[in-house]
Amino acid sequence: MQHINLNIVICKDGVLFFTCFLATRYIFCQHAVLFTGAISMNTLKNDRLLRTIWRQPVDMTPIWIMRQAGRYLPEYRAIRQKAGSFLTLCKTPELACEVTLQPLARFPLDAAILFSDILTIPDAMGLGLYFKEGEGPAFERPLRTARDVHALAVPKSEEHLTYVLDTIAMIRHELAGKVPLIGFCGSPWTMATYMVEGNANKAFPAIQIMMKDESTVLHHLLTKLAEAVISHLNAQIRAGAQVVMIFDTWGGMLDTQSYQAYALHYIKIIIQNLIKENAGLRVPVILFTKGGGQWLNLMRETACDVLGVDGLVHLGHARREVGEKIALQGNMDPTILYQSPDNIEAEVDRVLAEFGPGSGHIFNLGHGIAPDVLPEHVAVLVDAVHRLSQKYHKDIA
């Protein structure tokens, strides 16, 4: 059956028009202020990830990998060199689409994840994001005073982050229903750590000082960021993201009281205000707080659909703690991929056994894949997950 994509564009002059095409690329209006998105949806050929999230029977455990489109792939490095900079790569939809799809051309993964960065929102706020070679992200204009925070405007995704939305549309078109597409944002707390510090620093002393001495200012910043995340994730959903994920990378640096006040509170607000259904399908939310294994019961109360866990968490214990109404994602130690194929397979078997039989487990790493991992070892990982997990679904699927 041939699928017809119907697109709606609203231009600055208020004219509403439709473009309809068969098996061609998306066409964008340079003057559009609202995003051009496909109304019809191709039926997913592989819906294993979504069925797992909704705890429906599957034939095997699905797998995708954090940073699956990245420097460990030689084809990614070639595109990165062509782009000239990481930000150019992120902001060029054709290139970002290409690198998103690269790992799926190599491995039978069960999802694609948008190639972007968690700091695109602060960049759209005018902080001047750039990347120091070997040092990570930094901002030209970090937030130092209450005046800096009050001057921030919440960006409109359809105006200031159109390159992300265009990339999603292209990816969806190129995927043609092969697997679902995951969109994402950083959590308000995680983005704020970089915005206040000005660069990557695992201790983030500047935001610690702001939290102690100017908590009202910090809450004002987090409120603006929560509003921006809601806007951007909803725009991603309208653009075609079928799952969205919130990366709370630095939530684990906080104590329990601070985590609830400065991280979790705003995540709850975000999830409450996300689009729940698009094109007739529910849109699930994955929440991942690195180092947050002690707070699974608290995170469960956000109404997320999946909890990502790092390598410090025992999946069996986590499953018993959160119950059967929420899926888990994780959590093999990424450094295992440096070991032999036999050791990788053995660790996969151990992680699968920890979760046990039945649906509700998305296999992933405890954090992102390292840039010097051999692609051949990733192939071993993906094959092992699919092959060894079948026994846990045999009498259920």
Side-chain angles (χ1 to χ4, degrees):
M1 183 177 70
Q2 202 168 27
H3 295 276
I4 298 176
N5 292 309
L6 181 64
N7 296 277
I8 302 175
V9 182
I10 301 177
C11 292
K12 287 182 178 178
D13 57 7
V15 176
L16 177 67
F17 66 90
F18 301 85
T19 62
C20 195
F21 56 92
L22 297 173
T24 57
R25 287 188 177 273
Y26 283 75
I27 299 171
F28 301 93
C29 174
Q30 290 183 345
H31 304 290
V33 296
L34 294 184
F35 177 65
T36 307
I39 292 178
S40 62
M41 293 181 63
N42 294 330
T43 301
L44 279 171
K45 300 176 180 71
N46 176 354
D47 64 352
R48 195 176 288 132
L49 179 85
L50 295 178
R51 291 179 64 83
T52 295
I53 291 173
W54 306 128
R55 310 191 64 78
Q56 297 170 357
V58 290
D59 56 344
M60 61 187 73
T61 299
I63 175 173
W64 71 276
I65 303 167
M66 286 185 277
R67 295 184 189 158
Q68 65 188 29
R71 289 177 289 170
Y72 73 102
L73 293 175
E75 55 267 41
Y76 169 87
R77 296 195 295 271
I79 296 296
R80 168 67 174 78
Q81 185 175 14
K82 176 183 176 182
S85 73
F86 177 78
L87 267 183
T88 300
L89 181 55
C90 287
K91 293 184 176 184
T92 308
E94 294 82 5
L95 298 181
C97 173
E98 184 174 350
V99 296
T100 296
L101 299 173
Q102 284 175 344
L104 279 85
R106 271 189 181 256
F107 318 114
L109 295 158
D110 295 294
I113 182 165
L114 167 71
F115 183 82
S116 187
D117 192 82
I118 62 171
L119 298 178
T120 53
I121 287 175
D123 185 48
M125 288 175 148
L127 271 64
L129 175 65
Y130 67 100
F131 287 82
K132 297 180 181 179
E133 195 66 36
E135 297 182 26
F139 288 108
E140 296 173 358
R141 293 172 288 280
L143 304 176
R144 300 300 190 200
T145 66
R147 179 178 293 179
D148 293 339
V149 172
H150 287 293
L152 287 176
V154 176
K156 296 179 180 179
S157 294
E158 291 85 355
E159 293 182 19
H160 304 108
L161 291 161
T162 53
Y163 63 90
V164 176
L165 308 183
D166 291 358
T167 300
I168 289 173
M170 290 182 183
I171 296 167
R172 279 296 308 276
H173 178 63
E174 296 298 327
L175 281 174
K178 181 179 180 180
V179 294
L181 174 62
I182 302 169
F184 70 90
C185 278
S187 71
W189 168 259
T190 290
M191 288 190 287
T193 58
Y194 291 100
M195 295 167 74
V196 174
E197 192 67 36
N199 53 40
N201 182 328
K202 290 185 178 181
F204 291 106
I207 201 167
Q208 300 279 12
I209 294 170
M210 182 179 283
M211 184 167 52
K212 180 181 178 182
D213 297 342
E214 297 183 279
S215 61
T216 302
V217 174
L218 180 53
H219 279 297
H220 186 44
L221 171 60
L222 294 169
T223 298
K224 287 189 174 187
L225 288 171
E227 184 180 344
V229 171
I230 292 166
S231 170
H232 194 39
L233 284 181
N234 280 338
Q236 290 186 34
I237 292 168
R238 289 191 294 267
Q242 292 141 305
V243 182
V244 291
M245 182 166 174
I246 299 170
F247 283 92
D248 186 30
T249 309
W250 296 112
M253 68 184 284
L254 297 167
D255 60 42
T256 299
Q257 184 177 355
S258 298
Y259 176 70
Q260 291 179 277
Y262 294 97
L264 200 64
H265 171 72
Y266 295 96
I267 291 170
K268 284 182 181 178
I269 291 172
I270 291 165
I271 294 175
Q272 288 169 359
N273 287 279
L274 291 181
I275 294 170
K276 302 299 186 289
E277 184 177 302
N278 189 45
L281 295 175
R282 289 183 291 174
V283 181
V285 180
I286 304 171
L287 169 59
F288 174 59
T289 295
K290 184 183 177 186
Q294 69 273 32
W295 301 315
L296 293 179
N297 273 325
L298 294 175
M299 289 190 282
R300 181 181 60 178
E301 300 305 316
T302 62
C304 66
D305 303 292
V306 183
L307 281 175
V309 293
D310 60 28
L312 301 176
V313 175
H314 187 286
L315 278 178
H317 296 164
R319 186 178 187 180
R320 288 189 289 273
E321 188 170 353
V322 303
E324 295 296 319
K325 293 185 178 180
I326 192 166
L328 292 172
Q329 177 176 281
N331 67 334
M332 194 180 89
D333 181 350
T335 64
I336 298 295
L337 290 173
Y338 292 124
Q339 299 183 22
S340 69
D342 286 346
N343 285 350
I344 294 170
E345 186 163 317
E347 183 63 10
V348 167
D349 202 24
R350 187 195 67 79
V351 173
L352 291 169
E354 267 193 6
F355 184 85
S359 190
H361 176 211
I362 302 165
F363 201 102
N364 210 311
L365 301 179
H367 201 245
I369 188 170
D372 53 350
V373 163
L374 295 175
E376 294 81 6
H377 285 191
V378 176
V380 171
L381 167 66
V382 176
D383 173 73
V385 171
H386 283 159
R387 180 166 40 83
L388 297 176
S389 67
Q390 292 179 39
K391 60 188 175 185
Y392 295 104
H393 304 280
K394 190 174 182 180
D395 300 325
I396 302 170

